[in-house]
Amino acid sequence: MDLAQRDHNVIWHPYTQMKTAALPIPIVRGEGALLFAEDGTTYIDAVASWWVNLHGHAHPHIAQRVAEQLNTLEHVIFAGFTHPAAVELAERLIQILPQNQKRAFYSDNGSTAVEVAIKMAIQYWNNVGEPKRKIIALRDSYHGDTFGAMAVSSRSTFTAPFWSYLFDVKFIDVPVPGEEEESIKQLEAIAIAGGAAAFIFEPLVLGTAGMVMYTPEVLDRLMGICQKYNILTIADEVMTGFGRTGRTFASHYLQHQPDIMCFSKGLTGGTMALGLTTCSNQMYEAFLHHDKSKTFFHGHSYTGNPIACAAGLASLDLLLKEETQQSINRIVEQHTQFAEKVKQLQYVKETRQQGTILAVEFEAGGTSYFSNLRDTLYNFALQQGVLLRPLGNIIYIIPPYCITNEQLQQVYQTILGMHGLVEEAQ
Ligand SMILES: *Cc1c(COP(=O)(O)O)cnc(C)c1O
């Protein structure tokens, strides 16, 4: 029996309707931006394997650092003990994060990084003796799939069975260009009403919503309101972190500094699962007390895993290299040129770009129309040797930084071909 069939007999895949899904494609090797399938087909990984991969697959520098770590220390309990990789990674990140970020709390993935952030914010207000209950979020946001993360995420069909179990969240509209004032008004009204503990947001780009983008200027205004009304700000940089937006962190575009930040995805260059929540000294100090009930009682078995931290260090070495910064700038330029071109096409409603992230939104002729077309477009891209996962009528590219110009051209050509299919389907 081949691998796909064996998989089909025992595995339940994420975000997959197992009744109708095609058999999964067995991948046996990766190198640079390419994935090699068992049958010899290659795919350009234009979505960085769910937005995690920064420097290409099986990168030798990361592989070597991880191998060394495996042969030295694979794991150690992270309460009462520590190890060099966790300390060095935190030190190096704190140097490049917004200046107020002074403490690093490790976990396992993006959702746990968000859980930690929300729990920190709520307990902060308890610890300082001013309990506040409300959490504010952007209406179409995505912060993960665990319960707390789902609660602060959009109330979509994905989470519908759980709605009644999710804590109450005050949602404000995403301040997309032209609709900034409405969001500002909504946030102000909630702030004035009082009792708001924190505002959580995906800075500049809402990924799962369809790479929906808004400006640093309006985010600064929202953060200014939070500051004025003593509402903590939580920047979820799980997707935007580590160069994606053109700067190392999306928060580097802002005047204000968030109180808490969340990271995962690119944190290890896409090699290991690792989550990180960082915070300011003001946050941290509210947990220092002789009274043990003020402790942050949260942790995971694999907190601060040395192999994951080693991958993080190796990825950071690569990210900060001049060569990588040049690649990021190159991708930004190529995207901009392609966006200019594709924008002219009849069935392209809009293009959006923030750094290395490019979204092309096709005209949607009704939702059912696009739910079928989505699969056609996905399969068409695979036939062209390109991995692109459309979000409905939105196609996006979020490539590893090592992708070559030739590979980018192949991805762009595939998107032009998709436009042809959209046209035919009219
Ligand atoms: C992917 C994502 C998460 C969840 O991360 P997981 O590692 O998949 O749990 C949280 N926030 C944002 C902005 C994300 O894009």
Side-chain angles (χ1 to χ4, degrees):
M1 222 190 305
D2 71 8
L3 198 62
Q5 193 59 53
R6 280 164 54 205
D7 171 292
H8 191 67
N9 292 344
V10 291
I11 290 176
W12 190 346
H13 285 271
Y15 282 97
T16 304
Q17 175 43 260
M18 298 299 290
K19 188 170 173 65
T20 50
L23 287 177
I25 301 169
I27 297 296
V28 290
R29 193 167 73 82
E31 186 181 339
L34 290 180
L35 294 167
F36 296 79
E38 197 183 30
D39 68 1
T41 315
T42 60
Y43 299 97
I44 299 173
D45 190 355
V47 297
S49 281
W50 255 344
W51 321 347
V52 300
N53 190 290
L54 299 188
H55 311 295
H57 292 279
H59 194 288
H61 179 64
I62 301 179
Q64 192 196 344
R65 184 69 184 78
V66 166
E68 282 165 13
Q69 187 64 52
L70 266 169
N71 284 310
T72 317
L73 176 70
E74 84 303 338
H75 189 61
V76 62
I77 179 173
F78 208 59
F81 291 83
T82 191
H83 59 86
V87 175
E88 196 186 331
L89 184 59
E91 283 175 350
R92 287 180 62 187
L93 287 173
I94 284 168
Q95 273 175 25
I96 58 174
L97 283 170
Q99 272 180 6
N100 70 337
Q101 298 298 296
K102 296 291 186 206
R103 290 281 160 180
F105 192 100
Y106 288 110
S107 62
D108 304 337
N109 58 67
S111 303
T112 55
V114 167
E115 297 288 335
V116 167
I118 298 168
K119 286 176 71 174
M120 266 183 191
I122 293 172
Q123 193 178 338
Y124 170 87
W125 290 115
N126 274 284
N127 281 5
V128 300
E130 263 182 85
K132 300 187 189 187
R133 288 188 56 85
K134 282 183 214 164
I135 307 283
I136 308 164
L138 296 177
R139 194 172 312 282
D140 303 319
S141 58
Y142 176 77
H143 295 289
D145 284 346
T146 52
F147 269 86
M150 271 199 295
V152 294
S153 298
S154 124
R155 295 290 179 272
S156 72
T157 44
F158 289 174
T159 57
F162 314 107
W163 286 354
S164 64
Y165 298 84
L166 303 180
F167 60 76
D168 220 8
V169 168
K170 301 287 170 202
F171 289 102
I172 64 168
D173 292 341
V174 183
V176 292
E179 290 167 38
E180 291 95 341
E181 299 311 318
E182 195 49 38
S183 307
I184 300 263
K185 264 190 235 153
Q186 292 169 1
L187 181 64
E188 255 169 352
I190 297 166
I192 290 166
F199 170 40
I200 183 166
F201 50 86
E202 292 167 84
L204 311 191
V205 188
L206 283 80
T208 305
M211 301 297 161
V212 171
M213 301 181 188
Y214 61 99
T215 65
E217 290 74 26
V218 70
L219 181 51
D220 261 320
R221 287 175 65 195
L222 294 170
M223 291 172 84
I225 295 168
C226 290
Q227 191 175 42
K228 180 171 164 195
Y229 291 94
N230 257 324
I231 301 166
L232 299 171
T233 51
I234 304 173
D236 175 356
E237 292 231 28
V238 168
M239 191 276 284
T240 53
F242 305 99
R244 279 292 167 213
T245 63
R247 297 196 185 168
T248 307
F249 300 105
S251 299
H252 284 165
Y253 288 92
L254 301 170
Q255 303 297 317
H256 286 91
Q257 301 181 341
D259 297 292
I260 305 176
M261 299 180 73
C262 309
F263 307 95
S264 186
K265 295 207 166 105
L267 173 58
T268 64
T271 303
M272 288 284 300
L274 182 65
L276 176 68
T277 309
T278 62
C279 70
S280 66
N281 262 338
Q282 183 199 334
M283 293 289 311
Y284 176 69
E285 280 163 9
F287 292 76
L288 307 180
H289 217 277
H290 296 296
D291 173 359
K292 286 218 165 55
S293 72
K294 310 262 186 195
T295 307
F296 191 51
F297 289 113
H298 186 105
H300 300 278
S301 320
Y302 283 98
T303 296
N305 175 256
I307 302 165
C309 290
L313 283 167
S315 177
L316 206 54
D317 292 340
L318 297 172
L319 181 72
L320 300 178
K321 272 188 170 177
E322 183 56 32
E323 196 185 319
T324 308
Q325 297 302 311
Q326 281 168 4
S327 291
I328 290 174
N329 295 340
R330 173 178 58 83
I331 295 167
V332 173
E333 281 169 29
Q334 297 277 309
H335 276 357
T336 307
Q337 283 175 25
F338 175 65
E340 280 306 316
K341 186 164 148 191
V342 78
K343 219 186 273 185
Q344 319 289 335
L345 299 177
Q346 187 177 1
Y347 295 103
V348 171
K349 186 176 167 203
E350 188 179 81
T351 62
R352 296 184 286 274
Q353 184 187 357
Q354 178 67 59
T356 68
I357 308 167
L358 179 70
V360 178
E361 181 163 349
F362 289 126
E363 296 286 355
T367 32
S368 62
Y369 163 83
F370 237 98
S371 58
N372 294 326
L373 195 59
R374 185 239 167 242
D375 293 348
T376 307
L377 298 181
Y378 174 70
N379 290 322
F380 169 77
L382 288 179
Q383 283 156 18
Q384 308 297 308
V386 178
L387 170 51
L388 284 167
R389 275 180 71 92
L391 292 162
N393 56 326
I394 298 158
I395 318 296
Y396 64 87
I397 313 173
I398 178 164
Y401 304 142
C402 64
I403 193 167
T404 65
N405 281 351
E406 292 70 31
Q407 289 167 335
L408 272 177
Q409 287 308 323
Q410 195 177 328
V411 177
Y412 298 152
Q413 283 305 320
T414 301
I415 293 176
L416 293 176
M418 286 174 160
H419 180 265
L421 292 177
V422 173
E423 190 164 18
E424 274 170 36
Q426 296 300 313

